[in-house]
C-alpha cells in the first residue's frame, strides 16, 4: 500500500506542473487573443486526466486504509469530498468546446484556478 500512497503523493507535483503551465499558457492566450489549438486542448485534457487519476488513487487509498485499519476519520472524508469536487471542476471545460478562442482561454483559466483553490482547501483538511 505504500507504493500507492507514494504514487498519490508524487502525482501531485505533476498535477501542479501541468496546472501552472496551463495557467500561464491560458492567461497569455487570453491576453494576446491567440487561437485555441491542440496544445491548449492537450493541456486541459492532461490536467483533467491527471486529476481523475489522482482522485482514483485517493479513493482506493481511502477505502483500503479505512476498511483495513484506520477507519474513516472526518478529516479524511473532508479531504476526499473536497478533492472530488476539485477533480470534477476541470471537466467543465467541455461546456465551452464550441465557444470562441478568447472565451475558451478565459474560462479554462478560471476552471484551473478554481480547481487549484479547491486543492488548497482539500490539502488543508488533512494538514
Amino acid at each position: 500500500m505504500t507504493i500507492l500512497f507514494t504514487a498519490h503523493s508524487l502525482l501531485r507535483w505533476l498535477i501542479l506542473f501541468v496546472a501552472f503551465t496551463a495557467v500561464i499558457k491560458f492567461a497569455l492566450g487570453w491576453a494576446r487573443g491567440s487561437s485555441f489549438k491542440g496544445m491548449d486542448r492537450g493541456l486541459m485534457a492532461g490536467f483533467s486526466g491527471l486529476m481523475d487519476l489522482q482522485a482514483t488513487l485517493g479513493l482506493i487509498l481511502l477505502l483500503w486504509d479505512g476498511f483495513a485499519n484506520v477507519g474513516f476519520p472526518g478529516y479524511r472524508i473532508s479531504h476526499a469530498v473536497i478533492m472530488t469536487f476539485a477533480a470534477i471542476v476541470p471537466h467543465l471545460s467541455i461546456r465551452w468546446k464550441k465557444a470562441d478562442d478568447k472565451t475558451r482561454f478565459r474560462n479554462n483559466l478560471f476552471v484551473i484556478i478554481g480547481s487549484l483553490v479547491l486543492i488548497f482547501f482539500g490539502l488543508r483538511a488533512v494538514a
Side-chain angles (χ1 to χ4, degrees):
M1 194 44 58
T2 57
I3 293 171
L4 190 60
F5 181 75
T6 302
H8 184 67
S9 296
L10 292 176
L11 186 59
R12 67 181 162 178
W13 299 113
L14 182 58
I15 289 170
L16 283 176
F17 175 75
V18 172
F20 286 128
T21 302
V23 164
I24 292 167
K25 179 78 170 85
F26 293 163
L28 289 174
W30 182 25
R32 294 179 180 166
S34 302
S35 60
F36 202 85
K37 296 184 178 178
M39 179 184 170
D40 305 312
R41 284 188 298 277
L43 274 173
M44 199 63 218
F47 181 72
S48 295
L50 288 171
M51 288 296 291
D52 290 344
L53 177 60
Q54 185 75 328
T56 303
L57 292 175
L59 182 61
I60 293 168
L61 277 170
L62 175 72
L63 295 174
W64 188 285
D65 282 348
F67 288 122
N69 53 6
V70 298
F72 297 96
Y75 71 91
R76 292 185 80 195
I77 299 299
S78 298
H79 175 73
V81 169
I82 295 168
M83 292 306 212
T84 298
F85 283 110
I88 291 170
V89 167
H91 293 283
L92 293 174
S93 67
I94 196 73
R95 296 181 52 85
W96 305 289
K97 188 175 184 176
K98 296 185 184 202
D100 62 286
D101 292 336
K102 192 166 188 163
T103 301
R104 288 178 81 180
F105 276 120
R106 182 195 66 212
N107 291 357
N108 285 332
L109 172 66
F110 290 139
V111 159
I112 290 180
I113 291 171
S115 187
L116 289 173
V117 168
L118 286 170
I119 289 169
F120 173 77
F121 287 111
L123 290 174
R124 298 259 323 190
V126 293

